[in-house]
Amino acid sequence: MTDIADAAVRAEAEAAAPYPIPRESKLDPPPALGRWRARRPLHRIKLWDGREAWAIVGYEEVREVLKNHETFVSSPLAPGYPTLGEADAATKKSLLLTMIDPPLHTQHRGAVLREFTVKAIESLRPDAEAIVDDLIDAMAAMDPPVDLIKVLGAAVPARFTCRLLGVPYSDAEFFQERLTVRFSPNSPAASVYGAEDGLRSYFAELVEDRLTEPRDDLSSRLVSDHVRTGQISPEEAATILHVLLIGGFDTTKQMIALGTLTLMEHPDQLARLKADPSGWRNAVEELLRYITLIQSERRACTADTVVGGQQIRAGEGVLVLLNSANRDASVFDSADSLDLERNAVRHLAFGSGIHQCLGQAVARMLLQLTYPRLFDRFERLRLAVPFDALSFRESSSLFGVDELPVEW
Ligand code: HEM
């Protein structure tokens, strides 16, 4: 290639593309990401507020950035930190676990780490089974069509998270209302602040309550082992409980809905799973990869560095595209196809590095229980509206569907 042609190709690759990019086929990331990956692992993007940032699209480069938490920090207060809209920018106000860096991050995560080991979560499997069975029984008693998000997707994680934190299930509606406002990309900043304040006060009161009257639950253990000992303040404990709620609610809800939708769209593979239910654990990993619910993570670069042959400067924003990494054909054969029998364990749906999802054992357990029980109970489960009538949430970092009407 001549120098002039080479420069033209580089200029095109470095020209900032508007982001987010609309999807074409709703269960797949935008096809442009595949074209970007084929060209180079990093691409220049322009965000809603006119600022530019780097989109990291290659699998290896995504892992490299997420593992290098010293150079690529999570604090939204760092210069260059990218945001995806007004509502997203407003959530900067409360610095939750995902938005803090070591040493504070190490201390806060460490305060609840042992509650989230596979062993600790698996000990709650009988409770989770009872929750899922109870909700499926209730669904069976309803007249179809029903919104699967409401009757199952939202209810499973809501009940389980309340059980985990030791708060009454009657508070789940209060949580859900505030989280809906907080995560809606169209919420005005003032509503996001209001929703955050409501949750902050709730958890501050919970910590106070457990300080005076400890029980046998996660919130009490956090208070007695870390607040009473002076390692963390009551406000910090409230922030940790707050992030556990946020982390577990909408993510698992959408994964139940979108996983069910994906399975209904692939009846042959679903039939094979029903014939051999030992494949469900593997299938859950592939659904996590294929759907990649958290499409992107944000980081700010704090020191000049090179990733994938591209110079990134201190003060530049970085958007790590998990949805692109999980479709990288150099790691996953026929990456754009759903293959419930493939070994997908290297997927990055739970992130990587020090912020890797703390609740992944919870998510896996709830999904491994919900899908098989749902499809066993409702053999003819199907969409009650045409696929094209579904409305998807694409522009926030959390992908989702607004309603999932089903019948059987
Ligand atoms: C399918 C469901 C889920 C998905 C796809 C998911 C995905 C993720 C991802 C990608 C991150 C990394 C964020 C970052 O690096 O900035 C994360 C962090 C986190 N997740 Fe999940 N998550 C799910 C369910 C859960 C559940 C059920 C809980 C709690 C019970 C939870 C709690 C958390 C917490 C506390 C963090 C922050 C960890 C840290 O910053 O150290 N997640 N999750």
Side-chain angles (χ1 to χ4, degrees), residues 32-220:
L33 299 184
R35 293 196 293 275
W36 292 2
R37 263 194 323 272
R39 270 204 309 249
R40 56 216 300 269
L42 276 76
H43 210 92
R44 213 61 194 139
I45 49 171
K46 184 173 258 182
L47 302 169
W48 67 288
D49 53 2
R51 289 195 303 157
E52 291 192 8
W54 290 106
I56 318 284
V57 291
Y59 179 95
E60 292 305 338
E61 291 74 16
V62 162
R63 283 194 71 215
E64 188 183 331
V65 168
L66 292 179
K67 296 238 179 254
N68 185 356
H69 60 264
E70 281 169 8
T71 303
F72 294 102
V73 299
S74 294
S75 167
L77 306 177
Y81 183 88
T83 60
L84 295 177
E86 190 187 336
D88 185 42
T91 57
K92 277 181 178 187
K93 210 179 154 201
S94 27
L95 294 182
L96 300 174
L97 195 62
T98 40
M99 302 179 193
I100 55 175
D101 296 295
L104 196 60
H105 173 265
T106 320
Q107 195 195 13
H108 284 195
R109 187 168 165 122
V112 281
L113 202 55
R114 71 193 162 106
E115 303 280 349
F116 287 92
T117 60
V118 173
K119 197 170 162 211
I121 296 303
E122 284 296 324
S123 74
L124 300 173
R125 192 172 270 259
D127 292 35
E129 277 170 359
I131 289 171
V132 172
D133 284 342
D134 192 34
L135 289 166
I136 289 183
D137 282 348
M139 178 171 156
M142 293 174 190
D143 284 332
V146 301
D147 176 10
L148 191 92
I149 297 215
K150 234 186 231 145
V151 301
L152 202 64
V156 167
R159 281 212 192 173
F160 187 79
T161 311
C162 291
R163 159 72 186 83
L164 190 69
L165 301 183
V167 300
Y169 180 57
S170 50
D171 292 349
E173 201 174 320
F174 165 86
F175 294 146
Q176 191 59 70
E177 277 168 13
R178 271 136 200 95
L179 291 179
T180 303
V181 173
R182 187 188 188 275
F183 282 107
S184 162
N186 306 321
S187 294
S191 314
V192 176
Y193 291 146
E196 287 268 300
D197 284 345
L199 291 169
R200 224 190 331 267
S201 317
Y202 178 96
F203 286 109
E205 268 174 42
L206 183 66
V207 169
E208 275 309 308
D209 191 59
R210 295 304 194 263
L211 271 170
T212 44
E213 242 179 88
R215 300 184 195 174
D216 179 18
D217 58 29
L218 184 157
S219 310
S220 303

Side-chain angles (χ1 to χ4, degrees), residues 66 74 96-100 105 109 116 157 160-161 164 240 243-253 255-256 288 292-294 296-299 322 348-352 354-364 366-367 398:
L66 292 179
S74 294
L96 300 174
L97 195 62
T98 40
M99 302 179 193
I100 55 175
H105 173 265
R109 187 168 165 122
F116 287 92
F160 187 79
T161 311
L164 190 69
I240 294 171
V243 80
L244 295 180
L245 174 84
I246 289 189
F249 250 60
D250 278 26
T251 45
T252 315
K253 161 175 123 180
M255 198 53 214
I256 289 176
L288 285 161
T292 313
L293 195 71
I294 299 204
S296 62
E297 292 180 19
R298 282 76 56 76
R299 297 292 187 264
L322 301 178
L348 297 176
F350 290 125
S352 185
I354 61 166
H355 290 278
Q356 194 181 46
C357 181
L358 182 61
Q360 56 188 284
V362 176
R364 285 196 166 100
L366 296 180
L367 299 176
L398 184 82

